[in-house]
Amino acid sequence: FAYPSYVQDIMGPVCFDYGFGPFRWVCASGKEEDLERTDEIAREVLQQLKQEAPQEIQQQMQDNIKWIEGARANRLVVGSQARILYADAEGRIEIARAFNKAIEKGEIGTVILGRD
């Protein structure tokens, strides 16, 4: 094989070496509108973070933004109102903070976070 390990040789240099990893959230309300709002929040946070991100992670940041923007149109929900993307530590923290603020304001219901 040209690449003996997908994770080590391909995903590592693209994502994991920079702290990117799975970040999942589930809207406990089960409401589609909560998932739509969390998508908007995540996109806004990622766009802000991308402005200051180093060149090495610009493409991954843009890929995450594109993923979130296309998620609803591509009907990626089967069952739970949930979403996953590959965010770095800063992204996970900032998205979680933004979700907490939206919950506190009553904009969305409870959101469950996970790392797979």
Side-chain angles (χ1 to χ4, degrees):
F1 295 99
Y3 295 100
S5 169
Y6 174 74
V7 171
Q8 183 177 356
D9 296 325
I10 297 174
M11 291 303 291
V14 174
C15 294
F16 302 141
D17 290 358
Y18 296 100
F20 285 85
F23 178 59
R24 179 183 300 275
W25 64 90
V26 180
C27 298
S29 68
K31 295 179 181 176
E32 186 176 337
E33 57 268 22
D34 280 355
L35 184 59
E36 290 175 18
R37 181 65 184 123
T38 60
D39 285 350
E40 291 172 11
I41 291 168
R43 181 182 44 79
E44 292 166 4
V45 169
L46 291 170
Q47 286 175 330
Q48 289 172 351
L49 293 175
K50 184 177 182 281
Q51 292 177 8
E52 301 293 323
Q55 183 61 38
E56 295 85 5
I57 66 169
Q58 285 288 320
Q59 186 61 54
Q60 182 63 35
M61 298 295 283
Q62 186 57 45
D63 288 349
N64 279 330
I65 293 166
K66 184 177 180 180
W67 169 259
I68 289 296
E69 289 175 344
R72 184 171 178 227
N74 290 310
R75 300 180 185 176
L76 297 175
V77 173
V78 177
S80 301
Q81 297 296 317
R83 196 71 77 218
I84 188 170
L85 55 78
Y86 273 66
D88 63 357
E90 183 180 18
R92 292 188 297 271
I93 291 166
E94 294 305 320
I95 291 169
R97 283 185 180 151
F99 288 169
N100 283 340
K101 288 178 185 175
I103 292 166
E104 184 177 45
K105 293 177 184 177
E107 295 176 7
I108 58 175
T110 304
V111 177
I112 302 161
L113 304 177
R115 287 289 315 275
D116 283 9

